Amino acid sequence: MGNGNSKIDSSSSSSSSDPDAEESRIARFKDRVHLRRFLRRRRKGTTNGRGFHSHTKLGSVEDFAGIAILTLIRARMNFKDKWLACVSFGEQTFRTGISDHTKEPAWNSEKKLLLEKDGPHIARISVFETNRISRNNLVGYCEIDLLEFLSQDSDSDTEELELLDPSPPNAVVGKISLSCSVEDPIETEKRFAKRILSIVDYNEDGELSFPEFSDLIDAFGNQVAASKKEELFKAADKNGDGVVTLDELAALLAAQQEKEPLMNCCPVCGEALEVSDKLNNMIHLTLCFDEGTGNQVMTGGFLTDKQAAYGWMFKLSEWAHFSSYDVGLNSGSSASHIVVYDRQKKRLVEEIIDGKIVLSMRAIYQSKVGLTLMDKGVKELLHSISEKQGKRMDSVESAKDIPHFIESFKDQINMNEVKHPLEYFKTFNEFFIRELKPGVRPIAHVECDDVAVCAADCRLMAFKSIDDSLRLWIKGRKFSVQGLLGQDISARAFMDGSLVIFRLAPQDYHRFHFPVSGFIEQIVDIPGCLYTVNPIAVNSKYCNVFTENKRSVSIISSSDFGKVAFVAIGATMVGSITFRKGKGDYVKKGEEFGYFSFGG
Amino acid sequence: STVICVFEKDSIQIDEDLLANSSRSLETLVRVGTKLGLSTRKVSQTDL
């Protein structure tokens, strides 16, 4: 095996019959769990007097997976109120309790978070003033990169961060003190075994008799394991005293999870556990078992900090999931929000759509009546409105709308990335198709043409097959690839291909780029309607926006991906499609292809 | 406005995180130029 023990390979097969190899894999797993602490942390060795965990820092962030304990201690605000704080991390948001009426709220609330190299690591902390009746107001926020924080060489247990006003110019409105430490992986393993053990340790003696052990295996829901309980019990009971202790159970779980996992899914949340990722499984289970036990001071179940701040209304349904909080035909009042996953920040964000727009869109796109009205002249009306809007947005007067537009999307338009200063834009349309500074959108693996890249700043949906896209997203009954590409382009090459949808929102950078390198074989313009391409319409079975809207279809011939159909689809108001490359051009991935602008 | 890209069958291995979110009907906020997926054609051509 050479120096195999020094390597960490979670993808090793567990089906080998070689006992040496088996032992070696178990050893590697244990190394993976245990030796990390020597690689990553320097224990300070003291508790801080508030009963918090001893402060553990990371020595290296490479290949890290573990539990971070984030504690929101207190804040110093500029005025008195009753305060609550939220931590948004990955797909969840947690909130503290509400403080007394004070300028210096103290929460001392902690939350365990799963932290790993490729997972989310930036926590957003938001502080709200609370209201008894109306929704709570966001007063200040800050962001902290937990991996970076934990790897800093600092003597202090706590850090004080400035809270910024969410509105420009983002003045400092207070300060928040927090601490973050890594839970010892051995502690994690022990706590996990203890939690598991406590499920069936009826007489609470810290040991499992065979009947208790038998119940535990049944609780895991693994039929194979259930059929050989006695064998497993004997394997666990190392000293043969007829009971399984905490340590023996921990050893069994570590060894067994390596060979043949006892648990196929989490007994708490039901999530399937990846066979290849034992450490993360243990961490997941530990976090899940901790929920609702009182061990965690912050409450969770929110998707975004906006939700956590809704006040009394949201308390009626604290546990939300985006499937019940989505747009679409049956989503009721929640259709005024779209939840999207920010790939860069690795967390859910909420986009608010104006309530009036939602109501009108639902009335038009999600009912037969609305769409019948569409056929009675509304199509022409949409075209006419879009053309008029295009002319208006090309006028010099439209430039005065730019500051208001930027203010409306203050969190989502970063003027530091824009190539030209605000004064450069003489019309709204010029600003709408603004260029970005060179380098602010680096192209992934720029020299490797076998890596495709995203074609726009957008909200993306990707499906391995057309069938998947129809099952999960595109509900229009008449959708087909041939319909999308139009009569002049054969869809044969794309049958059962993969489909990616790049949806641009008004505030986005509106230029689109090539996802792959190759030659442009042809560009075909297809006239059509200018329905909205909002998910409300895409998710409607009565509406076929992708096959009825005005669009331009380009075929890019690429040596690495074969033919790629690139369909630019116009929408209400934004119906003008301009290309900066043409038929026969050789294009590099990431290069600008064209832009959408206001017009018909 | 929207761009749709259609790839030939088995020509691209789209990044798992994007597929996973989409399978939950959850849109992913991405930026232009970030990785979308890998070509699978070279692998299959080599295999052949």
Side-chain angles (χ1 to χ4, degrees):
Chain A
M1 296 290 288
N3 60 354
N5 278 348
S6 65
K7 289 182 180 176
I8 296 164
D9 182 7
S10 63
S11 62
S12 301
S13 163
S14 59
S15 59
S16 167
S17 56
D18 180 356
D20 287 335
E22 202 72 54
E23 198 174 24
S24 173
R25 278 197 299 276
I26 294 168
R28 282 204 301 275
F29 177 52
K30 281 178 177 289
D31 284 349
R32 192 180 174 211
V33 175
H34 296 166
L35 291 181
R36 279 192 173 163
R37 61 191 175 136
F38 300 110
L39 296 171
R40 289 190 221 105
R41 69 181 172 80
R42 277 154 289 166
R43 188 177 285 283
K44 300 288 179 185
T46 55
T47 54
N48 56 18
R50 289 183 300 273
F52 297 147
H53 301 262
S54 55
H55 198 81
T56 309
K57 291 269 186 178
L58 296 175
S60 159
V61 296
E62 290 302 313
D63 195 30
F64 176 72
I67 292 175
I69 302 161
L70 176 68
T71 307
L72 300 186
I73 303 167
R74 71 175 74 82
R76 287 187 290 140
M77 308 303 291
N78 291 346
F79 58 93
K80 279 188 176 182
D81 209 313
K82 291 183 175 180
W83 305 93
L84 73 83
C86 291
V87 174
S88 297
F89 187 77
E91 293 193 8
Q92 276 193 302
T93 292
F94 309 95
R95 54 164 280 188
T96 65
I98 296 173
S99 75
D100 294 334
H101 193 264
T102 175
K103 274 173 83 170
E104 297 196 5
W107 298 291
N108 290 330
S109 299
E110 73 171 41
K111 185 70 198 171
K112 288 180 183 176
L113 304 166
L114 173 60
L115 201 56
E116 54 189 336
K117 186 187 161 203
D118 294 324
H121 49 99
I122 295 174
R124 179 186 168 102
I125 297 157
S126 314
V127 177
F128 296 83
E129 59 163 341
T130 62
N131 291 294
R132 193 180 291 262
I133 305 295
S134 61
R135 59 184 290 160
N136 306 316
N137 296 321
L138 174 64
V139 174
Y141 76 97
C142 63
E143 291 192 340
I144 179 169
D145 185 327
L146 297 180
L147 273 181
E148 201 177 288
F149 177 81
L150 289 165
S151 54
Q152 278 169 4
D153 194 11
S154 163
D155 290 333
S156 172
D157 275 3
T158 62
E159 181 106 351
E160 193 172 55
L161 302 174
E162 289 183 338
L163 291 166
L164 302 177
D165 187 330
S167 304
N170 306 112
V172 176
V173 292
K175 290 186 175 180
I176 187 163
S177 299
L178 54 86
S179 73
C180 188
S181 57
V182 178
E183 184 172 276
D184 187 328
I186 292 177
E187 270 303 303
T188 302
E189 196 174 23
K190 276 188 179 171
R191 277 168 192 255
F192 170 63
K194 200 173 175 183
R195 295 305 313 260
I196 290 272
L197 186 140
S198 67
I199 298 172
V200 290
D201 182 15
Y202 305 124
N203 58 5
E204 297 180 346
D205 61 354
E207 295 172 337
L208 294 183
S209 61
F210 179 70
E212 288 172 333
F213 182 85
S214 176
D215 286 352
L216 177 66
I217 300 298
D218 287 340
F220 291 158
N222 182 328
Q223 298 300 319
V224 180
S227 68
K228 46 183 184 181
K229 287 175 198 165
E230 285 186 24
E231 191 186 320
L232 286 167
F233 188 78
K234 278 180 191 164
D237 184 15
K238 293 284 182 197
N239 60 4
D241 62 354
V243 288
V244 172
T245 62
L246 177 69
D247 289 340
E248 286 173 339
L249 181 66
L252 174 78
L253 289 172
Q256 198 64 32
Q257 283 297 97
E258 180 71 8
K259 284 193 297 188
E260 188 182 349
L262 292 173
M263 284 170 284
N264 299 331
C265 59
C266 173
V268 179
C269 72
E271 187 172 310
L273 300 174
E274 288 288 331
V275 175
S276 61
D277 203 347
K278 288 94 188 174
L279 180 64
N280 272 341
N281 288 346
M282 185 182 68
I283 292 167
H284 170 101
L285 289 160
T286 304
L287 293 171
C288 250
F289 276 121
D290 274 349
E291 286 289 345
T293 59
N295 293 346
Q296 301 282 285
V297 182
M298 282 191 237
T299 54
F302 308 106
L303 295 175
T304 66
D305 54 354
K306 285 194 179 76
Q307 274 186 7
Y310 282 159
W312 67 271
M313 281 189 297
F314 212 78
K315 286 179 188 162
L316 297 174
S317 172
E318 184 180 292
W319 289 91
H321 186 262
F322 60 79
S323 62
S324 62
Y325 191 74
D326 211 336
V327 293
L329 194 60
N330 302 313
S331 54
S333 59
S334 63
S336 58
H337 305 80
I338 299 177
V339 175
V340 297
Y341 186 78
D342 186 330
R343 193 188 204 191
Q344 191 184 27
K345 293 182 176 168
K346 293 191 168 70
R347 65 164 179 245
L348 290 170
V349 290
E350 194 174 335
E351 293 181 5
I352 310 288
I353 316 171
D354 187 282
K356 288 175 205 156
I357 294 175
V358 172
L359 283 176
S360 56
M361 279 199 295
R362 293 185 71 211
I364 294 171
Y365 294 102
Q366 295 189 341
S367 72
K368 276 184 181 171
V369 177
L371 286 157
T372 308
L373 283 175
M374 278 282 189
D375 288 333
K376 307 275 183 207
V378 178
K379 284 179 189 173
E380 289 74 18
L381 186 65
L382 284 176
H383 249 296
S384 165
I385 291 171
S386 300
E387 276 170 17
K388 277 184 190 162
Q389 193 69 356
K391 280 178 190 158
R392 205 186 93 71
M393 293 307 190
D394 281 332
S395 70
V396 179
E397 297 80 60
S398 66
K400 68 176 186 302
D401 296 336
I402 299 172
H404 176 67
F405 184 78
I406 295 172
E407 174 60 22
S408 303
F409 296 106
K410 60 191 173 196
D411 297 336
Q412 296 167 64
I413 297 176
N414 183 356
M415 284 304 293
N416 291 328
E417 293 181 336
V418 179
K419 186 176 178 181
H420 301 291
L422 211 51
E423 313 81 70
Y424 173 87
F425 304 104
K426 304 301 176 205
T427 69
F428 189 90
N429 242 351
E430 282 183 14
F431 176 74
F432 195 70
I433 58 165
R434 60 196 176 272
E435 286 177 81
L436 298 182
K437 287 175 184 166
V440 296
R441 294 288 183 273
I443 308 303
H445 306 276
V446 68
E447 297 306 326
C448 303
D449 282 347
D450 58 343
V451 179
V453 297
C454 293
D457 277 16
C458 65
R459 292 98 187 97
L460 177 146
M461 293 292 275
F463 305 98
K464 201 175 174 185
S465 70
I466 306 291
D467 281 350
D468 284 352
S469 72
L470 296 178
R471 189 163 50 85
L472 296 160
W473 194 243
I474 306 170
K475 298 295 181 188
R477 285 171 176 162
K478 294 179 190 166
F479 180 84
S480 68
V481 179
Q482 189 63 70
L484 175 73
L485 302 183
Q487 299 297 322
D488 296 337
I489 294 175
S490 168
R492 201 184 315 147
F494 303 104
M495 286 303 171
D496 208 23
S498 302
L499 185 140
V500 185
I501 303 169
F502 305 89
R503 178 173 70 85
L504 286 77
Q507 66 273 26
D508 288 334
Y509 164 66
H510 258 72
R511 294 177 181 243
F512 47 81
H513 294 235
F514 292 101
V516 298
S517 301
F519 282 98
I520 301 175
E521 269 188 14
Q522 61 186 131
I523 301 179
V524 175
D525 291 330
I526 302 174
C529 311
L530 286 173
Y531 296 136
T532 180
V533 288
N534 188 288
I536 292 175
V538 177
N539 293 169
S540 166
K541 59 186 173 185
Y542 305 118
C543 209
N544 298 282
V545 291
F546 294 151
T547 52
E548 291 186 23
N549 268 26
K550 172 187 176 179
R551 58 203 183 276
S552 295
V553 184
S554 315
I555 301 297
I556 303 162
S557 186
S558 143
S559 58
D560 291 277
F561 294 91
K563 287 182 195 295
V564 178
F566 186 105
V567 188
I569 304 175
T572 314
M573 309 287 191
V574 189
S576 175
I577 304 164
T578 306
F579 290 109
R580 293 164 66 88
K581 297 283 178 185
K583 183 181 172 184
D585 286 348
Y586 178 77
V587 295
K588 282 288 289 175
K589 73 171 192 184
E591 204 176 338
E592 187 189 316
F593 191 6
Y595 55 81
F596 295 107
S597 57
F598 276 92
Chain B
S1 28
T2 284
V3 168
I4 295 184
C5 285
V6 189
F7 293 82
E8 291 179 30
K9 187 181 179 187
D10 298 329
S11 68
I12 184 170
Q13 185 185 324
I14 297 170
D15 281 5
E16 199 50 49
D17 63 320
L18 303 173
L19 290 175
N21 286 342
S22 303
S23 70
R24 299 187 293 166
S25 299
L26 176 67
E27 292 179 299
T28 309
L29 198 62
V30 296
R31 290 183 161 199
V32 71
T34 50
K35 189 166 162 269
L36 175 67
L38 283 173
S39 163
T40 53
R41 287 169 72 92
K42 273 189 181 166
V43 177
S44 51
Q45 278 164 9
T46 311
D47 287 348
L48 285 171

